């Protein structure tokens, strides 16, 4: 059961990446404080994500017109993220990254987030959302409160701050596909650095896994799936039942809410062998960090391309990286990520004596 922290806010300490306790995976139960069913087994969470009797949680009732608009937006995004387009962005971002990568110092402390991950993601965000590069930094600043609210959706002050800046932010983006405007910019300039920072933190905690990828950079694509499983960002997703159903062994009534614990599902021993160890060459598919089913993240191909384009050159150049200082965390029940990543990077690997 959940450790009682804040009533009505789903917070499981064991779902935090820096927690010494692994996530607890348990049968579905109804949590009185959260007023929601809680699902944490991989099979249960996947069944819920695929169920047509559950809709994305929202205080508004979702109409059929909302569903149709969402389907149009998905189709438009898939068209905008063609293989050719992804390849073009990957090539363009590689050129930008070369310069940033070359500026990273060896053998001295550098904040990997500030010096590499954030600028690389911001350059990509500007490219994909078709804004002028010179405007990117100020728009990133403006978008901060939207990202902060996504990280802690239960905080009404953060929600109000996000709501207040949204019209100004929206007016700055004009890409053809709706998902590649302001929301895509927030996802690429704020959320993606968080996802990559969690992945890098996991590699820093497991230096032998960094070394494997330095020696086998062709395995980075595969490793990204494992980093999303082990150190993914989304901690939980919400759903609401549109009819009475039996799911995960629970009798769920129409309008009941559900909390799907993504972190726990990604660490379910029934689904993943040795779930609490990071193995970058693992071949088990099925991580749920980008959701699954009809509402799975439609930006997934873009995120995979971007993650590989940003991480592969870093891992190729540096044989090792050592965490050098304490890491602070930001965010909340939605997602958490390091605020900074102080590291010492080395081009040659020094084996321990
Ligand atoms: C690190 C960045 C990202 C993460 C962790 C992420 C994660 C997710 C997750 C977990 C969902 C499923 C939500 C649910 O089932 O309730 C989702 C949906 C979605 N994502 Fe992403 N996403 C990211 C970036 C992006 C980007 C860059 C785009 C832009 C193309 C995007 C577009 C969407 C859309 C439009 C949906 C809703 C799909 C639907 O409801 O049918 N995401 N994302």
């Amino acid at each position: 059961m959940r450790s009682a922290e804040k009533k009505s806010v789903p917070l499981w300490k064991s779902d935090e990446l820096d927690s010494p306790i692994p996530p607890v995976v348990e049968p579905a139960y109804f949590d009185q404080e959260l007023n929601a069913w809680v699902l944490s087994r991989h099979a249960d969470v996947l069944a819920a994500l695929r169920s047509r009797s559950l809709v994305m949680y929202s205080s508004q009732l979702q109409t059929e017109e909302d569903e149709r608009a969402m389907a149009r937006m998905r189709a438009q995004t898939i068209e905008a993220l063609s293989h050719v387009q992804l390849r073009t962005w990957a090539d363009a971002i590689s050129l930008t990254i070369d310069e940033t990568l070359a500026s990273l110092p060896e053998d001295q402390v550098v904040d990997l987030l500030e010096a590499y991950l954030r600028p690389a993601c911001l350059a990509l965000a500007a490219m994909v959302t078709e804004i002028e590069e010179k405007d990117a930094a100020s728009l990133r600043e403006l978008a901060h409160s939207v990202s902060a609210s996504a990280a802690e959706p239960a905080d009404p002050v953060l929600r109000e701050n996000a709501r207040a800046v949204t019209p100004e932010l929206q007016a700055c983006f004009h890409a053809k596909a709706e998902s590649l405007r302001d929301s895509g910019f927030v996802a690429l300039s704020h959320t993606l650095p968080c996802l990559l920072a969690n992945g890098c933190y996991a590699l820093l905690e497991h230096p032998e896994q960094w070394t494997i990828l330095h020696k086998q950079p062709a395995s980075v694509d595969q490793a990204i799936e494992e980093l999303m499983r082990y150190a993914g960002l989304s901690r939980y997703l919400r759903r609401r039942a549109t009819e009475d159903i039996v799911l995960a062994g629970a009798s769920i009534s129409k309008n009941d809410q559900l909390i799907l614990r993504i972190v726990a599902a990604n660490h379910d021993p029934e689904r993943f062998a040795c779930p609490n160890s990071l193995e970058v060459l693992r071949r088990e598919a099925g991580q749920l960090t980008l959701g699954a089913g009809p509402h799975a993240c439609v930006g997934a191909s873009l995120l995979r391309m971007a993650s590989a384009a940003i991480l592969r050159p870093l891992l190729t150049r540096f044989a090792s990286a050592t965490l050098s200082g304490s890491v602070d965390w930001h965010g909340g029940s939605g997602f958490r990520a390091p605020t900074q990543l102080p590291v010492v990077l080395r081009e040659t690997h020094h084996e321990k004596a």
Side-chain angles (χ1 to χ4, degrees), residues 258-312:
L258 291 89
I259 288 172
L260 315 177
R261 290 179 59 208
I262 301 298
V263 174
N266 279 343
H267 289 78
D268 184 349
E270 291 287 318
R271 181 68 185 75
F272 302 102
C274 305
N276 299 313
S277 64
L278 176 72
E279 295 167 21
V280 289
L281 301 182
R282 188 190 284 268
R283 287 199 173 273
E284 288 158 301
Q287 58 80 16
L288 298 174
T289 289
L290 302 179
H295 294 290
C297 181
V298 75
S301 59
L302 172 59
L303 291 176
R304 289 189 165 97
M305 175 282 283
S307 303
I310 294 168
L311 291 185
R312 189 179 288 112

Side-chain angles (χ1 to χ4, degrees), residues 3 7 14 45 59 85 93 113 116 123 129 151 166 171 183 224 232-233 248 262 277 288 290 301 308 315 322 332:
S3 62
K7 283 184 182 171
S14 63
V45 171
S59 49
Q85 182 61 79
I93 202 68
L113 246 165
Y116 185 70
T129 61
T166 298
S183 62
I224 283 163
L233 207 56
I262 301 298
S277 64
L288 298 174
L290 302 179
S301 59
L315 291 155
T322 317

Side-chain angles (χ1 to χ4, degrees), residues 167-178:
E168 189 183 343
L169 199 60
Q170 278 175 339
C172 300
F173 294 89
H174 309 283
K176 190 174 163 215
E178 186 191 328

Side-chain angles (χ1 to χ4, degrees), residues 37 48 51-63 66-67 237-243 245 252-260:
W37 291 97
S51 171
R52 294 280 174 181
S53 305
L54 303 178
V55 289
M56 289 170 94
Y57 171 82
S58 120
S59 49
Q60 307 280 313
L61 282 184
Q62 239 170 353
T63 63
D66 290 338
E67 287 287 333
L237 296 174
R238 280 180 179 271
R239 289 294 185 266
R240 182 174 52 78
T242 53
E243 58 186 343
I245 48 157
I252 298 166
S253 304
K254 182 176 175 176
N255 285 328
D256 277 0
Q257 293 176 41
L258 291 89
I259 288 172
L260 315 177

Side-chain angles (χ1 to χ4, degrees), residues 58-254:
S58 120
S59 49
Q60 307 280 313
L61 282 184
Q62 239 170 353
T63 63
E64 282 184 15
E65 182 43 42
D66 290 338
E67 287 287 333
R68 277 197 294 274
M70 186 57 94
R72 278 196 300 275
M73 192 272 290
R74 286 188 74 88
Q76 199 186 40
T77 309
I78 289 163
E79 197 188 327
L81 302 181
S82 67
H83 287 303
V84 175
Q85 182 61 79
L86 290 179
R87 196 61 264 154
T88 308
W89 284 329
D91 291 346
I93 202 68
S94 294
L95 293 177
T96 315
I97 280 176
D98 278 352
E99 237 177 83
T100 318
L101 189 67
S103 72
L104 290 179
E106 222 203 329
D107 283 327
Q108 69 185 64
V109 181
V110 60
D111 179 356
L112 194 57
L113 246 165
E114 199 50 35
Y116 185 70
L117 300 177
R118 284 191 193 120
C121 293
L122 188 59
L124 179 78
M127 207 180 288
V128 170
T129 61
E130 300 172 16
I131 55 157
E132 299 274 342
E133 220 178 304
K134 65 175 176 48
D135 299 331
S138 58
L139 285 171
R140 184 180 190 280
E141 197 60 38
L142 188 64
H144 172 79
S145 43
V146 181
S147 175
S149 173
E152 182 43 278
D155 186 324
V157 177
L158 294 180
R159 206 178 315 135
E160 180 47 35
N161 291 345
R163 203 195 54 75
V165 301
T166 298
E168 189 183 343
L169 199 60
Q170 278 175 339
C172 300
F173 294 89
H174 309 283
K176 190 174 163 215
E178 186 191 328
S179 59
L180 301 185
R181 295 181 208 148
D182 54 303
S183 62
F185 181 78
V186 175
L188 293 171
S189 65
H190 282 278
T191 327
L192 181 57
C194 293
L195 180 74
L196 296 179
N198 277 6
C200 286
Y201 178 80
L203 288 173
L204 292 164
E205 293 271 282
H206 300 82
E208 76 294 348
Q209 301 292 309
W210 181 297
T211 307
I212 291 174
L213 292 174
H214 174 68
K215 291 182 178 162
Q216 302 179 45
S219 300
V220 165
D221 291 304
Q222 187 182 335
I224 283 163
E225 295 309 303
E226 172 66 350
L227 291 173
M228 285 205 232
R229 182 196 71 80
Y230 182 89
L233 207 56
S234 334
R235 298 175 71 187
Y236 68 90
L237 296 174
R238 280 180 179 271
R239 289 294 185 266
R240 182 174 52 78
T242 53
E243 58 186 343
D244 294 353
I245 48 157
V246 175
L247 190 121
S251 296
I252 298 166
S253 304
K254 182 176 175 176

